[in-house]
């Protein structure tokens, strides 16, 4: 069975979706959309919290790195003198 035969027999995907929403209970659709909206907000909130926590951690590590860098006086060059006559 080909795609065109299926479309002729039961309709295109767009037609099926339109028929589904015409026949489904409106309250059911509204409830599902509301749940979807709540889940989307929760996911966005979790992502924002993760970004804020990661930013704070990066700032903390950067401060620690700068403190360690400032505690080092610099570098030392040692010269070894060969005392052969």
């Amino acid at each position: 069975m080909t795609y065109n035969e299926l479309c002729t027999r039961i309709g295109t995907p767009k037609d099926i979706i339109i028929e589904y929403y015409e026949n489904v209970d409106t309250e059911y659709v509204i409830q599902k959309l509301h749940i979807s909206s709540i889940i989307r907000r929760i996911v966005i909130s979790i992502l924002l919290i993760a970004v804020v926590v990661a930013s704070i951690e990066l700032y903390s590590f950067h401060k620690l790195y700068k403190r360690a860098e400032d505690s080092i006086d610099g570098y030392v060059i040692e010269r070894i003198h060969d005392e052969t006559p």
Side-chain angles (χ1 to χ4, degrees):
M1 184 171 266
T2 66
Y3 176 76
N4 289 333
E5 290 173 352
L6 277 174
C7 287
T8 305
R9 189 170 177 191
I10 61 172
T12 64
K14 183 178 178 181
D15 294 335
I16 295 170
I17 291 172
I18 290 171
E19 183 181 342
Y20 171 77
Y21 280 116
E22 286 175 349
N23 294 328
V24 75
D25 182 28
T26 307
E27 291 298 320
Y28 174 77
V29 173
I30 291 172
Q31 180 186 11
K32 290 298 179 184
L33 288 173
H34 183 68
I35 291 171
S36 174
S37 174
I38 290 172
I39 291 172
R40 187 178 308 118
R41 287 179 185 166
I42 289 171
V43 169
I44 289 172
S45 298
I46 289 171
L47 289 174
L48 285 175
I49 290 170
V51 167
V52 168
V53 169
S55 298
I56 291 170
E57 286 292 319
L58 285 173
Y59 177 73
S60 174
F61 285 136
H62 181 70
K63 272 181 40 178
L64 187 62
Y65 169 77
K66 283 297 190 183
R67 195 176 322 145
E69 188 179 56
D70 292 341
S71 70
I72 299 173
D73 293 333
Y75 60 92
V76 177
I77 299 176
E78 286 188 26
R79 294 187 185 194
I80 301 175
H81 297 282
D82 193 16
E83 295 194 19
T84 54

